[in-house]
Amino acid sequence: MSAASDKPVVTRFAPSPTGYLHIGGGRTALFNWLYARGRQGTFLLRIEDTDRERSTPEATDAILRGLTWLGLDWDGEVVSQFARKDRHAEVAREMLERGAAYKCFSTQEEIEGFREAARAEGRSTLFRSPWRDADPASHPDAPFVIRMKAPRSGETVIEDEVQGTVRFQNETLDDMVVLRSDGTPTYMLAVVVDDHDMGVTHVIRGDDHLNNAARQTMVYEAMGWEVPVWAHIPLIHGPDGKKLSKRHGALGVEEYQAMGYPAAGMRNYLARLGWSHGDDEFFTSEQAMGWFDLDGIGRSPARLDFKKLESVCGQHIAVMEDAELMREIAAYLAAARKPALTDLQAERLEKGLYALKDRAKTFPELLEKARFALESRPISADDAAAKSLDPVSRGILRELTPMLQAASWSKQDLEAILTAFAGEKGMGFGKLAAPLRTALAGRTVTPSVYDMMLVIGRDETIARLEDAAAA
Ligand code: GLU
């Protein structure tokens, strides 16, 4: 393990703002956040916006919104990589001074010519610049790029916390460009300079960057900087084991919010995608912070499993505080572009949460079960529910109403009244409950009739029974 591991932990998430926050990016951010938060460390956010053509402010906003929804708070200001371009150029010049880089005047045509000749002769097509060892006195007054003077023999070894020891033969790597002829830095240089300047001790990112780690290590070494601890995590695959793509379903973190998954459930599920702590499937973020370690990250790609996601989310909804649930439901409705709750709806919903939250895996499911609390009179019934309203059951509702007028409106009292009433009529309670569910919620599957009555109160209950009896 590198010496960087002895210092206070600093991790970062470094997305390129070219679209939305991908689910894989969300997981990378989560791993970095958990690792830092569990160690009193620092978690930084850097937007890698050096590619001016592909980077957009809208994409940056979408990334920040996605992270905020997931509850992954970063420390300090968001760093813009592009804003640091002068610093990157300064380091490129310093590499020149140290003899770790050189000015290369080869034109695009010359490079192409080199490659063609190499191909024809069956040699490696890696570009070998004639300027690598040229005497500066021979330099023309022409545009140039700055190239890293990469070692040509030996190997570069990455000690990766997930992938183990990974060796790269230096002869397979060319002298990469660190500064373009227009003075802009390349991505490979910018990442290293930024990670170094930001004091990043642990680079946890997708294993699609493993090859970059070799080249980046060369820059660290050329500058005499301490190499961070590497942890390249396998990418997420679809349920079929293939590389994750749109046909597997939602890819953007915000789409999951719009589908009504709670953020705590999403964090829990994403943590389990590629990382494990014994057999624990359901846990809080605080627990995950305490447990999360690079040792627990698997080497093979994790598969997205919507069933598991739903099951974990259902367990989180069941234990969420009412106020937090109300906040998240409001945010879900906004994300899904659905109308916000009115004050009365919110008041009834909050009152009814105790009877709703242990049965819903997502917010839309919870809201469907909460129909009795959200609809206003007259309550419309679906076909199945409408079936339980016939002349006989309407008569029964009419008879029941005056008895409810006198009830004390406690659960015990309502239970006693309804059970006695059903007994008197010689009907099972289920038979009585069916038209009550229709009257109160317009559905056959609802919370218990007592809970519905308690939540909406006496006047509303009686009015709904009267509506149904008269219909
Ligand atoms: N900007 C890179 C990406 O979005 C990440 C680079 C890194 O983490 O080092 O894939």
Side-chain angles (χ1 to χ4, degrees):
M1 198 175 274
S2 119
S5 58
D6 308 331
K7 294 195 287 199
V9 166
V10 180
T11 63
R12 50 55 162 195
F13 176 49
S16 305
T18 54
Y20 46 84
L21 177 58
H22 189 277
I23 182 101
R27 183 192 58 161
T28 298
L30 173 71
F31 281 14
N32 280 284
W33 179 79
L34 287 173
Y35 194 79
R37 292 283 177 262
R39 290 168 177 74
Q40 281 73 50
T42 304
F43 170 59
L44 303 173
L45 177 60
R46 178 173 75 235
I47 301 293
E48 303 212 312
D49 50 358
T50 29
D51 184 338
R52 301 315 284 167
E53 274 172 21
R54 295 180 62 224
S55 303
T56 67
E58 292 74 24
T60 297
D61 288 348
I63 289 168
L64 301 190
R65 277 200 312 270
L67 291 174
T68 305
W69 172 60
L70 276 178
L72 306 182
D73 56 329
W74 56 91
D75 296 306
E77 298 290 314
V78 178
V79 174
S80 153
Q81 185 161 69
F82 177 67
R84 293 177 38 79
K85 63 183 191 321
D86 294 346
R87 167 65 180 151
H88 303 143
E90 177 186 301
V91 171
R93 283 192 296 273
E94 202 176 322
M95 286 174 76
L96 271 184
E97 279 158 30
R98 289 169 165 255
Y102 60 92
K103 293 182 183 176
C104 172
F105 296 87
S106 297
T107 62
Q108 215 40 54
E109 294 74 59
E110 285 165 354
I111 296 173
E112 274 313 311
F114 175 95
R115 293 222 168 96
E116 262 163 43
R119 245 190 306 272
E121 291 165 29
R123 283 188 286 116
S124 153
T125 55
L126 279 189
F127 179 58
R128 299 299 190 199
S129 170
W131 299 99
R132 179 172 158 120
D133 298 308
D135 179 353
S138 70
H139 284 177
D141 182 15
F144 61 88
V145 299
I146 297 183
R147 286 184 186 273
M148 157 108 212
K149 203 171 202 171
R152 289 213 170 148
S153 58
E155 52 185 22
T156 297
V157 180
I158 302 297
E159 294 297 347
D160 192 279
E161 296 295 308
V162 177
Q163 312 286 337
T165 303
V166 187
R167 298 171 183 281
F168 294 86
Q169 298 308 312
N170 290 337
E171 64 192 7
T172 64
L173 302 172
D174 61 4
D175 289 348
M176 66 172 169
V177 174
V178 290
L179 203 73
R180 299 188 190 92
S181 55
D182 63 0
T184 61
T186 58
Y187 165 73
M188 213 65 86
L189 174 71
V191 170
V192 174
V193 174
D194 291 349
D195 281 341
H196 171 263
D197 288 0
M198 290 161 73
V200 172
T201 58
H202 293 70
V203 170
I204 306 169
R205 61 186 176 188
D207 66 7
D208 48 337
H209 288 283
L210 182 61
N211 287 341
N212 292 344
R215 291 168 168 281
Q216 291 168 1
T217 295
M218 289 177 174
V219 178
Y220 280 102
E221 286 173 351
M223 289 301 293
W225 291 341
E226 196 169 353
V227 179
V229 175
W230 305 110
H232 288 91
I233 55 184
L235 302 185
I236 300 174
H237 282 189
D240 55 1
K242 302 227 169 80
K243 212 174 160 240
L244 195 59
S245 73
K246 202 71 209 165
R247 78 194 146 81
H248 291 117
L251 293 184
V253 164
E254 283 191 288
E255 289 179 72
Y256 288 81
Q257 181 185 24
M259 286 190 280
Y261 294 105
M266 208 56 204
R267 280 197 299 277
N268 181 162
Y269 178 70
L270 285 180
R272 280 287 293 108
L273 261 185
W275 170 78
S276 57
H277 179 262
D279 293 330
D280 293 301
E281 292 291 347
F282 170 67
F283 43 79
T284 64
S285 296
E286 287 66 36
Q287 286 174 307
M289 283 174 197
W291 295 339
F292 188 83
D293 206 347
L294 304 176
D295 294 349
I297 300 176
R299 277 201 203 187
S300 42
R303 291 186 188 197
L304 204 58
D305 178 341
F306 281 89
K307 278 256 162 330
K308 253 196 189 153
L309 169 64
E310 293 204 336
S311 138
V312 165
C313 284
Q315 294 177 69
H316 278 276
I317 290 179
V319 300
M320 269 164 82
E321 299 286 339
D322 289 357
E324 192 192 349
L325 256 179
M326 292 302 293
R327 255 196 316 278
E328 276 219 46
I329 289 173
Y332 151 69
L333 289 171
R337 301 182 195 287
K338 292 185 195 289
L341 298 178
T342 63
D343 289 349
L344 179 63
Q345 283 177 320
E347 189 193 307
R348 285 183 179 158
L349 176 62
E350 186 157 10
K351 226 168 141 189
L353 281 178
Y354 76 93
L356 296 162
K357 63 183 177 184
D358 59 348
R359 298 174 210 190
K361 295 190 285 289
T362 63
F363 296 136
E365 240 183 73
L366 185 146
L367 292 172
E368 170 58 25
K369 298 209 163 86
R371 200 168 182 275
F372 76 95
L374 303 176
E375 292 290 293
S376 45
R377 293 176 47 216
I379 304 296
S380 63
D382 66 14
D383 290 349
K387 285 205 182 91
S388 62
L389 281 186
D390 56 21
V392 177
S393 61
R394 288 201 174 91
I396 285 175
L397 292 182
R398 256 192 299 274
E399 269 186 70
L400 177 62
T401 316
M403 309 179 76
L404 295 176
Q405 288 285 11
S408 75
W409 224 257
S410 69
K411 192 159 184 167
Q412 294 85 324
D413 199 21
L414 289 172
E415 233 168 53
I417 291 173
L418 294 188
T419 326
F421 182 78
E424 237 172 69
K425 298 279 152 211
M427 63 200 305
F429 181 73
K431 201 84 187 133
L432 173 61
L436 284 173
R437 289 185 204 282
T438 304
L440 296 171
R443 292 287 183 270
T444 51
V445 181
T446 70
S448 87
V449 289
Y450 308 119
D451 287 329
M452 291 195 285
M453 288 176 164
L454 288 171
V455 169
I456 61 176
R458 183 201 314 270
D459 292 350
E460 181 71 15
T461 299
I462 288 174
R464 291 187 190 185
L465 297 196
E466 284 173 347
D467 287 347

